Amino acid sequence: MSTAPNRRAVAVILLIPLLVTLALWAFAWPAARIAPHDLPVGVAGPASAAQPLEQRFEQRDGAFEVHRFDDEAAARAAIEERVVYGAVVVTPQGPHLLTASAASPVVSQLLREAVTATAPDATQVRVTDVVAAPPGDPRGSALGASVLPLALAGMAAGAVVTLIGLRGARAAVALIGSAALVGLAATAVAHSWLGVVTGDWWTEAGVLALTVLAIGSAVAGLAALFGPRGVGLGALLMVLLGNPFSGVTSAPELLPEPVGAIGQWLPPGAGGSLLRSVAFFDGSAAGGAVLTLSLWALFGLAAVLFARPAPTPAEPAGPVREPILTG
């Protein structure tokens, strides 16, 4: 009696709990350990008055990366260019907190609580939201929820292209075409209907399409290189790790190290950061995310176009030779 079915049953029994444990770790652990790690913030005002505030930020070792600015105008410009998430301006009337809820409502609330807690007693902290989140998504929850559907769309495109046996140029055209249509449809929903993003419509569509293309082509490329198991590897990278490590619901600098950095090297995190830049900050600090997405897309398309298909169990690895008959 063959033991192969028994082995497969044991593999399933062991694999499912392992996958569930991995998923719980990937999704729950970063969310349970949210805290600032080298979070860029600014301090502005006369040196004599701003230095004590700067020292208070630096006392929380490793929590904040403090940038000094001469005045409020410079601090506002740094926020709009995504150099810092917020800044405290020291004034004779007390601290004036500048935030950018469009960059991260979670960080804005964190800075508000931190500055209020350290302000002198009976001092009113004035707060100005320099780049506010849109009225359609004031808490940023809808934008944060958009990462998983994009990851699933790219995952589905790469898997379907692989399963129906598309190869070479046909596979590349299918991946590019599906990504373009997803970008248009997603922008119609997020921008035109829900008002979650408020930047240039076509630029946002391009960002969403590039994100889906990077994910889909990476999955299809891994499958072209490693066979069906490449689809599983793509799911691990793009969905199981890429989504919770993206930092879109909070900020990459709030995730445990080095999770935040790893998330920005994967398409879901890079796509989320790029979408914020083009939707609310006129494309500021978009270069790194564009490069990351482009490299993933190029890698995947190159693998799809040029990699030799991995043999399946039903296919021989080489040509079948006819037996030589002698008589």
Side-chain angles (χ1 to χ4, degrees), residues 6 12 17 33 65 76 80-81 90 110 123 203 304:
N6 293 335
V12 170
R33 296 292 185 268
E65 178 186 287
R76 283 176 175 268
E80 292 168 352
E81 294 169 2
V90 180
L110 182 151
T123 300
T203 304
V304 167

Side-chain angles (χ1 to χ4, degrees), residues 6-36:
N6 293 335
R7 290 177 180 174
R8 288 195 290 267
V10 172
V12 170
I13 292 171
L14 297 176
L15 184 60
I16 298 303
L18 178 62
L19 289 176
V20 171
T21 302
L22 181 61
L24 285 173
W25 169 80
F27 281 83
W29 173 60
R33 296 292 185 268
I34 285 182

